[in-house]
Amino acid sequence: SLEFLYLGGNFITAIPPELAKLPSLRYLVLCDNKIQSIPPQLAQLHSLRSLSLHNNLLTYLPREILNLVHLEELSLRGNPLVVRFVRDLTYNPPSLQELAGRTVKTRNVPYAPSDLPESLVRYLSLASNCPNPKCGGVYFDSCVRQIKFVDFCGKYRLPLMHYLCSPECSSPFSSASQSSTSQSESDSEDEASVAAHRMQKVLLG
């Protein structure tokens, strides 16, 4: 039944995913710590109204944060993501197993559980779709992390983490250097369902 949780100023370096098991939580204060990333499980806090993350070490936000439909205040000042964004991220080439799995999934190769070892059937079920609508590919363990900038309130641009299937995947997402109005509108096309009133306060400074 917990509704307010204040953990500010405790030198916390990581947020336990189990925090998402507080369905009534409305206010979560994690400011003035040493947090470097936000677990995507926090998107399960559907009652959350305010999330204070200022003065940490965040360089990006997980895409899943868009699922916090009742969030009204997000405080981000004093984080690296406010003054600089991650541009060059590492990419590990896919294994032969992953390449084979991608072929099976993208070419719709038919198979039945009796055709393959149980471990491979389970592996194939873990395929993730590339978010680039022009690609249509999938990935398993190997992917390219990329920052996508999403507009909130028509004023602030937040960096959200996306995963592409390969470096060659032509991404429609903008870079930090593209900040014109037309580009900004293009960036938000696939986030059209995110209404401006859902994020009434994004505190960056």
Side-chain angles (χ1 to χ4, degrees), residues 89-100 102 123 138-145 164-168:
L89 298 172
T90 59
Y91 171 70
N92 294 320
S95 63
L96 292 178
Q97 176 176 282
E98 172 145 354
L99 290 173
R102 291 187 181 195
Y123 179 79
V138 300
Y139 63 88
F140 294 87
D141 303 311
S142 178
C143 61
V144 176
R145 296 187 302 164
L164 301 176
C165 61
S166 74
E168 291 74 28

Side-chain angles (χ1 to χ4, degrees), residues 19-41:
L19 203 62
K21 297 180 180 180
L22 297 172
S24 300
L25 195 64
R26 293 164 57 88
Y27 300 93
L28 177 57
V29 180
L30 297 167
C31 60
D32 301 303
N33 283 296
K34 298 184 181 298
I35 299 168
Q36 298 185 41
S37 62
I38 303 299
Q41 289 85 348

Side-chain angles (χ1 to χ4, degrees), residues 164-176:
L164 301 176
C165 61
S166 74
E168 291 74 28
C169 182
S170 177
S171 171
F173 308 143
S174 69
S175 66

Side-chain angles (χ1 to χ4, degrees), residues 95-115:
S95 63
L96 292 178
Q97 176 176 282
E98 172 145 354
L99 290 173
R102 291 187 181 195
T103 301
V104 170
K105 301 299 286 189
T106 56
R107 298 191 179 184
N108 295 317
V109 177
Y111 66 91
S114 58
D115 299 332

Side-chain angles (χ1 to χ4, degrees), residues 151 178-187:
D151 288 351
Q178 295 173 307
S179 58
S180 66
T181 301
S182 60
Q183 181 65 45
S184 176
E185 291 173 353
S186 174
D187 292 342

Side-chain angles (χ1 to χ4, degrees), residues 66-162:
L66 297 176
N67 295 329
L68 296 174
V69 296
H70 297 296
L71 194 65
E72 297 175 352
E73 182 174 299
L74 174 61
S75 178
L76 296 171
R77 67 182 184 274
N79 280 285
L81 66 82
V82 177
V83 294
R84 63 180 176 82
F85 300 117
V86 178
R87 298 188 182 184
D88 298 321
L89 298 172
T90 59
Y91 171 70
N92 294 320
S95 63
L96 292 178
Q97 176 176 282
E98 172 145 354
L99 290 173
R102 291 187 181 195
T103 301
V104 170
K105 301 299 286 189
T106 56
R107 298 191 179 184
N108 295 317
V109 177
Y111 66 91
S114 58
D115 299 332
L116 300 171
E118 181 180 351
S119 60
L120 289 181
V121 174
R122 184 168 55 251
Y123 179 79
L124 289 172
S125 69
L126 298 176
S128 299
N129 294 322
C130 181
N132 184 353
K134 299 179 180 179
C135 172
V138 300
Y139 63 88
F140 294 87
D141 303 311
S142 178
C143 61
V144 176
R145 296 187 302 164
Q146 186 181 73
I147 299 297
K148 176 185 176 182
F149 298 92
V150 176
D151 288 351
F152 283 107
C153 305
K155 184 177 181 181
Y156 301 109
R157 308 189 73 204
L158 298 184
L160 303 183
M161 182 64 77
H162 284 252

